[in-house]
Amino acid sequence: MKPRQPLTLENALSRAAALCARCEQCTPDLIKKLTAWGLTQTDVKKVIAELERLRFVDDSRFAKAYAHDKLHFSGWGRRKITQGLWAKRLQRDIIDEACDDFEEEEYHDIALKVIANKAGSLKEEPHSYEWRAKLFRFGVMRGFESSLVSEIIKHEIRKDDADEE
């Protein structure tokens, strides 16, 4: 095998632009990739600056897309989304802005759907202490606020009790 030649600045820019065109990327992830490709720190800064100028990279846009997708497709709550964005090393104000964009009613409906699906799959006796505890832990682990999870569990219990009568 031939040894790899380091990428030139132009090749790295076109390769990074193609990557950004395929899917949203955040600046910290791109810095990691460009460094792994063998670029120097000054070249990495030049490539990132050019990508931002051409609007291929926008951390705010990335955070909003990430938050939207994780809420709607993965059923994650605000806390887990915030954690995921923090792990990407994004700025706190960008993370807060992305998580504040959720409509409360829509957020509540998604949390209700996720927790109700879990409630239907539990083997424990419905409405028992173990059943409620498992639902609560599940909702909190999914990143939903504990007050919201408690409210949903109480709502589910009342709805189920009303259906039985």
Side-chain angles (χ1 to χ4, degrees):
M1 286 184 7
K2 290 192 280 183
R4 280 186 150 183
Q5 293 182 350
L7 285 176
T8 64
L9 187 62
E10 293 77 25
N11 287 345
L13 179 61
S14 65
R15 194 168 161 187
L19 179 67
C20 292
R22 282 194 301 271
C23 65
E24 286 289 340
Q25 298 289 321
C26 63
T27 305
D29 283 351
L30 278 175
I31 290 171
K32 230 183 284 182
K33 288 176 185 169
L34 292 169
T35 304
W37 293 346
L39 266 63
T40 64
Q41 287 300 316
T42 56
D43 286 347
V44 168
K45 288 178 183 175
K46 289 177 187 176
V47 170
I48 295 294
E50 185 63 17
L51 289 172
E52 287 174 348
R53 187 185 70 75
L54 296 171
R55 299 195 33 86
F56 276 106
V57 178
D58 183 355
D59 286 343
S60 180
R61 187 177 64 211
F62 169 82
K64 287 178 183 177
Y66 180 93
H68 177 272
D69 290 352
K70 291 300 181 184
L71 175 65
H72 289 88
F73 302 123
S74 299
W76 286 10
R78 274 190 190 98
R79 298 184 76 192
K80 193 165 184 174
I81 292 169
T82 299
Q83 223 173 12
L85 290 170
W86 179 82
K88 295 269 187 196
R89 305 284 186 241
L90 294 178
Q91 295 172 359
R92 188 75 192 160
D93 57 332
I94 291 174
I95 294 171
D96 292 341
E97 181 185 330
C99 290
D100 289 344
D101 280 353
F102 301 142
E103 291 181 26
E104 286 305 315
E105 187 176 324
E106 179 184 30
Y107 183 74
H108 185 275
D109 290 345
I110 290 171
L112 175 64
K113 185 178 90 175
V114 167
I115 293 171
N117 285 343
K118 181 65 175 180
S121 70
L122 290 177
K123 306 267 189 268
E124 285 73 27
E125 179 68 30
H127 314 303
S128 68
Y129 175 78
E130 291 83 15
W131 182 82
R132 288 192 307 264
K134 282 191 176 185
L135 275 181
F136 183 80
R137 278 193 306 271
F138 174 78
V140 170
M141 285 177 54
R142 276 296 184 97
F144 295 105
E145 295 79 5
S146 57
S147 59
L148 176 63
V149 174
S150 294
E151 177 189 324
I152 288 172
I153 291 172
K154 288 175 188 172
H155 172 72
E156 282 298 306
I157 291 171
R158 279 195 225 116
K159 185 179 86 171
D160 288 346
D161 288 344
D163 290 345
E164 290 175 5
E165 292 177 0

